[in-house]
């Protein structure tokens, strides 16, 4: 008689990781659909198929849940940029590819949803904390990417200030990039050329 194969039991750590992964994926999906203000922790738990008690064990507050989801988003996009830009030969082409990907990221549905954080954070202490965390996390991630992928550019004097200006420009332009508002902002190829032209000169 042949014994039936048994599925190996998952460890407690694996079950915890799976639960957290489901919660974070559900949070990202609902941020895109509803935005931060309308986001409900109980609705996230229901979509993830997790009890509210289990969710609160990992993420006691809505802010903690969203912060963890944002950290996951940034990690994923950093990995995507590394995978696409890293194999390119060093030089101007790699730098331009990095700019193109940063523009694409700022126009993703989740990125557009997260612009809501900056729009309403001034009047909401809890939201301001999340928005500040996101801004600092994203800025550090992009700065680290530049140092890794285009070190000859990132080492120039004034590059950090240029990067801050560029990120602010991308966020503002992405916010304006809605149908019918084409006359209110530059198209991406033109804007990219302007940003490249404003880059600090090499020593």
């Amino acid at each position: 008689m042949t014994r039936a194969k048994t599925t190996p039991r998952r460890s407690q750590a694996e079950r915890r990781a799976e639960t957290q992964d489901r919660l974070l994926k559900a949070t990202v999906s609902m941020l895109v659909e509803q935005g931060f203000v309308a986001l409900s922790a109980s609705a996230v738990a229901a979509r993830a198929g997790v009890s509210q008690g289990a969710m609160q064990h990992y993420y006691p507050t809505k802010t903690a849940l969203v912060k963890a989801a944002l950290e996951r988003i940034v990690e994923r996009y950093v990995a995507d940029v590394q995978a696409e830009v890293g194999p390119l030969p060093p030089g101007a082409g790699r730098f331009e590819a990095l700019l193109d990907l940063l523009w694409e990221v700022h126009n993703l549905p989740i990125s557009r949803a997260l612009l809501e954080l900056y729009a309403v954070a001034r009047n909401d202490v809890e939201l301001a904390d999340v928005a500040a965390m996101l801004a600092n996390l994203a800025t550090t991630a992009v700065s680290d990417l530049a140092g890794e992928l285009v070190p000859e550019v990132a080492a120039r004097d004034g590059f950090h200030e240029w990067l801050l200006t560029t990120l602010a420009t991308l966020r503002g332009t992405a916010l304006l990039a809605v149908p019918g508002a084409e006359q209110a902002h530059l198209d991406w190829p033109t804007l990219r050329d302007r940003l490249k032209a404003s880059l600090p000169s090499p020593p």
Side-chain angles (χ1 to χ4, degrees), residues 73-85 145:
I73 290 169
V74 172
E75 288 174 1
R76 189 183 76 191
Y77 290 152
V78 165
D80 288 346
V81 171
Q82 287 171 324
E84 290 201 39
V85 179
L145 274 173

Side-chain angles (χ1 to χ4, degrees), residues 11-178:
S11 67
Q12 186 174 6
E14 289 174 329
R15 292 195 298 272
R16 284 199 301 265
E18 181 188 4
T19 298
Q20 290 173 293
D21 186 61
R22 285 159 55 191
L23 285 166
L24 297 182
K25 285 180 178 177
T27 301
V28 172
S29 295
M30 297 187 75
L31 278 171
V32 171
E33 296 169 9
Q34 302 177 1
F36 178 86
V37 174
L39 184 72
S40 162
S42 59
V44 169
R47 175 171 294 196
V50 174
S51 70
Q52 283 191 257
M55 182 188 68
Q56 290 173 351
H57 173 73
Y58 297 111
Y59 308 110
T61 65
K62 173 181 171 179
T63 299
L65 178 64
V66 171
K67 281 185 174 181
L70 296 181
E71 289 171 353
R72 174 74 63 89
I73 290 169
V74 172
E75 288 174 1
R76 189 183 76 191
Y77 290 152
V78 165
D80 288 346
V81 171
Q82 287 171 324
E84 290 201 39
V85 179
L88 298 176
R94 180 184 281 193
F95 178 69
E96 189 166 298
L98 178 59
L99 278 178
D100 285 340
L101 280 172
L102 289 177
W103 173 244
E104 288 180 20
V105 167
H106 278 81
N107 283 277
L108 291 171
I110 183 61
S111 299
R112 290 180 177 275
L114 293 177
L115 287 173
E116 174 195 10
L117 297 179
Y118 302 114
V120 300
R122 295 188 181 199
N123 300 315
D124 188 315
V125 175
E126 181 184 21
L127 196 55
D129 183 51
V130 176
M133 185 279 293
L134 174 61
N136 293 330
L137 184 65
T139 300
T140 299
V142 175
S143 180
D144 289 346
L145 274 173
E148 174 188 345
L149 298 172
V150 287
E152 72 285 354
V153 176
R156 296 180 188 180
D157 289 338
F159 176 78
H160 182 68
E161 290 76 10
W162 176 89
L163 180 62
L164 294 180
T165 301
T166 295
L167 291 176
T169 301
L170 292 178
R171 293 184 190 115
T173 305
L175 190 62
L176 284 173
V178 296

